[in-house]
Amino acid sequence: IAIACMLFTTAHSDIVKKGQVGFRFLQNPVSAEAIGRGGLGLVSFRNSNAVFWNPSGLGWLDGKMDFNASYTKGIADINYSAMVGAFNFGKYGVVALDFVGMDYGEFYGTRFAENTEGYIDVGTFQPSAFSAGMTYSQKVSDRFSYGVRLKYVYQDLGTALIGNRIDDTTSVIESKKYRHGEPAIDIGATYDFLSHGIRFGAVMRNFSREIKYETYKFPMPFAVGFSMTMRPFTFFDLPPQRHDLEVGFETEHPRDFKEKVKFGAEYCYHKLLILRTGYMCNYDERGLTFGMGICKEIDRFNFRLNYAYQDFGVFNSVHTLSLGVTK
């Protein structure tokens, strides 16, 4: 992964390719926990939300079972939801099933017509997209874990009305559906130095075959990411049960944009109240993030409620709410 990332960065250092990939909804961040700390998710998770960032993180799952659900209210009434459930089989590894669904809202369909407006309405349509995946991860030692996520990605852009000539109202109008599904894979690894909370992670996401609509082929949003975190309070004589602080950074090398860098921090008080903040660099609109969470153990169940805010520039803000439980 490291060699591939260096070759990719060198070959494209002077070229910024935009609009070169499809199925861009796969780049939407999932989970208020990661979003609140600036999009840091490659090495920080110890619950089932790890599958959306780095599948190897699933191997560090606390507990025998874990479930998470997230909802993001995005820009332009484009919202999305995610669910994941994981089961820990001990030395045999951890298995998880996940689903991400997009809600793009309603769009108005039109076609050419010889009238005052120049078009007629043909009704509304609702594009949709989803991914469904299965992840396997194993913690092979107290320092290292690996993970693989296989997913099926599907997109339905609706039905188009097609004629021989758009300005010929006598031509035969036919309908054509634009939908496509394709498998993809994520591969990742995590290494814990077992010193001052220093952890390193690497991941390769959305590796797939090219997708074809009409005569144009394009890949999914392939990206390589690296991350490192640490716990600075461990350098001081502070009670870890009362105060815990994790800081880190993350780099992402996408296929269709320059390198992106993220910085974040997460403070936990008495393992109950969590405060987060971060910043996402080299994005068109995204930047500052905030978040908070509450953890509470009730009758052997550990419940988590998290919220995250993203500053989205000219599009105002994006809000994410996540709920999780571990047994």
Side-chain angles (χ1 to χ4, degrees):
I1 292 176
I3 294 173
C5 176
M6 288 186 290
L7 293 175
F8 180 83
T9 304
T10 303
H12 299 271
S13 58
D14 298 327
I15 302 175
V16 180
K17 292 186 176 182
K18 297 184 179 181
Q20 300 296 310
V21 301
F23 288 49
R24 288 295 299 272
F25 75 94
L26 293 174
Q27 293 181 318
N28 292 336
V30 175
S31 172
E33 296 169 78
I35 296 172
R37 52 180 176 251
L40 298 186
L42 295 192
V43 294
S44 300
F45 280 112
R46 293 181 182 268
N47 58 57
S48 56
N49 275 325
V51 304
F52 301 115
W53 299 84
N54 182 353
S56 67
L58 191 66
W60 303 79
L61 179 68
D62 293 329
K64 296 182 178 180
M65 295 182 294
D66 187 86
F67 174 81
N68 280 279
S70 299
Y71 176 78
T72 298
K73 184 174 178 58
I75 64 174
D77 293 328
I78 300 176
N79 310 314
Y80 58 94
S81 304
M83 294 185 297
V84 58
F87 304 90
N88 193 340
F89 296 99
K91 65 179 182 179
Y92 300 106
V94 185
V95 177
L97 300 175
D98 67 83
F99 179 86
V100 179
M102 296 295 301
D103 176 13
Y104 293 104
E106 280 192 342
F107 290 78
Y108 294 96
T110 63
R111 76 173 181 87
F112 177 81
E114 291 185 345
N115 55 20
T116 305
E117 291 81 10
Y119 67 92
I120 59 173
D121 292 320
V122 293
T124 60
F125 67 99
Q126 291 182 297
S128 62
F130 72 84
S131 74
M134 181 176 68
T135 302
Y136 174 78
S137 178
Q138 186 180 32
K139 185 179 177 184
V140 296
S141 72
D142 59 348
R143 294 176 180 264
F144 179 77
S145 69
Y146 68 91
V148 179
R149 179 189 180 202
L150 299 175
K151 55 189 176 184
Y152 179 76
V153 187
Y154 180 83
Q155 185 181 69
D156 184 354
L157 300 179
T159 301
L161 298 176
I162 303 173
N164 294 329
R165 289 178 53 192
I166 195 170
D167 58 347
D168 184 2
T169 57
T170 63
S171 64
V172 178
I173 304 296
E174 297 179 348
S175 63
K176 185 174 183 179
K177 297 179 179 179
Y178 288 91
R179 57 184 64 169
H180 193 93
E182 190 74 31
I185 186 171
D186 302 342
I187 302 174
T190 299
Y191 186 85
D192 194 327
F193 287 84
L194 299 181
S195 175
H196 302 294
I198 300 175
R199 308 182 84 208
F200 175 80
V203 66
M204 179 181 69
R205 287 195 291 251
N206 303 318
F207 182 78
S208 71
R209 299 185 302 179
E210 287 193 327
I211 301 160
K212 184 177 180 180
Y213 277 123
E214 298 293 351
T215 60
Y216 181 68
K217 291 183 179 180
F218 56 87
M220 290 188 190
F222 175 81
V224 176
F226 301 91
S227 182
M228 181 170 284
T229 61
M230 68 175 298
R231 300 182 183 275
F233 281 2
T234 58
F235 290 94
F236 307 97
D237 189 18
L238 293 175
Q241 294 80 13
R242 291 187 180 181
H243 307 279
D244 190 17
L245 176 66
E246 181 179 79
V247 297
F249 74 94
E250 192 169 303
T251 64
E252 183 179 353
H253 305 263
R255 182 185 179 97
D256 64 334
F257 204 76
K258 294 181 292 185
E259 180 184 17
K260 299 176 180 179
V261 182
K262 311 168 189 176
F263 300 92
E266 177 179 288
Y267 168 75
C268 181
Y269 177 71
H270 273 281
K271 296 184 179 181
L272 175 65
L273 176 64
I274 303 172
L275 301 177
R276 305 180 178 97
T277 187
Y279 194 85
M280 308 169 74
C281 304
N282 205 21
Y283 284 78
D284 286 334
E285 296 298 335
R286 291 173 181 164
L288 195 63
T289 68
F290 295 100
M292 65 177 301
I294 297 176
C295 298
K296 182 65 176 178
E297 185 172 349
I298 303 176
D299 193 22
R300 295 184 301 171
F301 288 88
N302 188 353
F303 292 92
R304 304 179 301 275
L305 178 63
N306 292 282
Y307 164 79
Y309 163 91
Q310 297 180 71
D311 177 15
F312 226 94
V314 297
F315 299 104
N316 297 324
S317 58
V318 171
H319 306 272
T320 302
L321 186 67
S322 298
L323 176 65
V325 58
T326 303
K327 181 180 179 182

